């Protein structure tokens, strides 16, 4: 998720949070593990993800996947050396 999230960033995740278009989410794929991507579109059962770096592709992007793979919504991140980044606004915390 470069340039938004860098290696060694620490992310604060809210599981069960309402997810909307443009949100950063953590998803779990059994074949590759945990990844962070941005929500491109969603409906009641599926979600389509996109990365922030257009130069790098991902097999997790551009296809509809089951929303049950979403672990949570990224609401904040800490970059070493300790720069706090917020990824939400007050309305986006409504569940």
């Amino acid at each position: 998720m470069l340039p938004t999230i860098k290696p060694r960033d620490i992310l604060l995740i809210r599981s069960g949070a309402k997810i909307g278009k443009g949100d950063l989410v953590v998803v779990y794929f059994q074949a590759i593990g945990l990844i962070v991507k941005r929500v491109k579109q969603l409906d009641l059962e599926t979600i389509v993800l996109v990365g922030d770096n257009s130069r790098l592709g991902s097999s997790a992007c551009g296809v509809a996947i089951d929303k049950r793979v979403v672990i949570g919504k990224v609401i904040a991140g800490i970059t070493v050396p300790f720069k706090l980044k917020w990824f939400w606004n007050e309305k986006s915390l409504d569940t």
Side-chain angles (χ1 to χ4, degrees), residues 27-44:
V27 297
Y28 176 76
F29 291 104
Q30 188 171 1
I32 55 178
L34 295 171
I35 63 170
V36 179
K37 296 293 178 190
R38 192 171 298 281
V39 176
K40 182 177 181 181
Q41 66 186 60
L42 69 159
D43 60 30
L44 292 177

